[in-house]
Amino acid sequence: MTEIQRLAEERGVDLNRLPVHVAMIMDGNGRWANRRGIGRLLGHREGYKTLREVLLNCSELGIKFLTVYAFSAENWKRPADEVDGLMRLIEGAARDELRTMHQNNVRVCVAGRRTELPPGLQAALEHGIETTQNNTGITFTLAVNYGGRAEVVDAVKSLVSEHVPVDMIDEAAIGARLYNPDHPEPDLMIRTAGEMRWSNFLLWQGAYCELFVTEKTWPEFDREALIEACLSFQDRTRKFGALAE
Ligand code: IPE
Ligand code: IPE
Ligand code: MG
């Protein structure tokens, strides 16, 4: 048993009923920085440190899939220096973390329109995916240049280009053409920094996921907050439209 498993159990988490797939909207880096009177990019840098810890904690807790929203398809609307800084940060992280992730048996995946990213970042992501593709530990998906609507549009484009007949188009056919069709739907979606909205994240897959919003900003999201989210998740009755058993 790992340290975080022991801690989670102590707090009342049932390790046999953990969410299989946790998605995270890592929000509030800018506010975290503003409160300290420092630049937004320093907030993003701090957020990167948090992500490193969160990935380790999720993996040691026994979460099988972690998907994090790093850069949305709409985040290009931000000032060029912030966009540029974020791209550099993500590229550096992808390169610097690969060895550790591989050692920890992490399988790296990406969700989003990759071809629109800077070439260096694309290369770093592709190298990460390839290197770790046969790993059997946690599946870590970086959503970068990701939009939920764009993902559905891309799936529809695939259907059309494959000449799929109309009567063969159903939810399974669309689901099979999403960015990572082999991943289960998220069970729990965590958003930091208090905003009660979805911001175009995993619109299709998240149809029935449980939401957990914390006031903590992303750089403040710690082990305790992760355990709190799991506890809250285990308190919910998921019905998927049916009646509770
Ligand atoms: C989330 O933090 C990171 C990204 C969207 C890239 P924000 O940058 O959105 O932080 P706030 O919302 O301005 O505090
Ligand atoms: C969502 O946060 C995107 C990421 C965390 C990458 P935003 O800060 O972009 O969302 P809005 O603009 O507040 O909806
Ligand atoms: Mg934000």
Side-chain angles (χ1 to χ4, degrees):
M1 197 185 250
T2 61
E3 201 194 321
I4 186 162
Q5 283 180 325
R6 205 162 31 240
L7 192 70
E9 237 182 25
E10 236 175 67
R11 298 274 193 285
V13 173
D14 178 353
L15 296 176
N16 297 313
R17 286 197 310 120
L18 287 173
V20 173
H21 185 172
V22 179
M24 298 190 182
I25 302 178
M26 310 185 289
D27 197 20
N29 294 346
R31 276 162 280 177
W32 182 89
N34 275 345
R35 279 178 209 147
R36 282 160 183 78
I38 58 179
R40 295 179 57 86
L41 275 170
L42 290 172
H44 296 313
R45 209 162 276 286
E46 197 64 25
Y48 163 32
K49 289 190 201 160
T50 298
L51 178 55
R52 211 195 266 148
E53 291 298 309
V54 166
L55 173 57
L56 196 66
N57 282 328
C58 284
S59 159
E60 291 188 344
L61 187 57
I63 305 286
K64 299 280 183 256
F65 291 82
L66 172 67
T67 299
V68 301
Y69 209 1
F71 189 90
S72 79
E74 288 71 34
N75 286 147
W76 299 105
K77 295 176 196 162
R78 296 188 179 196
D81 60 336
E82 181 168 350
V83 169
D84 197 50
L86 277 165
M87 290 298 145
R88 280 170 206 270
L89 183 65
I90 298 170
E91 184 177 334
R95 291 188 197 287
D96 293 345
E97 298 304 319
L98 181 56
R99 181 203 287 260
T100 312
M101 290 195 291
H102 195 33
Q103 276 169 354
N104 290 338
N105 200 19
V106 176
R107 177 169 74 123
V108 179
C109 298
V110 171
R113 285 184 178 159
R114 247 187 283 167
T115 56
E116 294 169 0
L117 295 170
L121 176 52
Q122 284 185 49
L125 294 174
E126 257 134 55
H127 181 51
I129 294 167
E130 237 169 74
T131 309
T132 63
Q133 61 184 343
N134 295 318
N135 287 349
T136 55
I138 191 170
T139 296
F140 171 64
T141 305
L142 195 70
V144 50
N145 190 23
Y146 176 86
R149 289 180 180 175
E151 182 175 31
V152 175
V153 168
D154 289 350
V156 171
K157 282 185 178 170
S158 299
L159 287 169
V160 173
S161 67
E162 291 167 37
H163 306 289
V164 177
V166 170
D167 57 356
M168 299 284 280
I169 297 176
D170 55 13
E171 292 184 11
I174 293 176
R177 287 162 181 83
L178 300 176
Y179 295 136
N180 292 291
D182 61 312
H183 297 184
E185 290 178 4
D187 303 292
L188 170 64
M189 187 180 291
I190 298 173
R191 182 167 188 144
T192 56
E195 232 76 70
M196 300 276 186
R197 59 174 171 260
W198 217 355
S199 301
N200 204 15
F201 194 37
L202 302 176
L203 294 185
W204 181 275
Q205 305 89 323
Y208 273 102
C209 74
E210 297 294 327
L211 307 174
F212 179 84
V213 177
T214 170
E215 288 301 320
K216 284 185 180 171
T217 62
W218 177 251
E220 296 164 331
F221 188 81
D222 55 10
R223 211 161 62 161
E224 296 293 333
L226 177 63
I227 290 173
E228 198 194 324
C230 289
L231 270 177
S232 169
F233 173 77
Q234 293 186 339
D235 243 13
R236 318 281 179 91
T237 306
R238 301 182 81 189
K239 298 192 286 188
F240 301 97
L243 300 180
E245 278 169 28

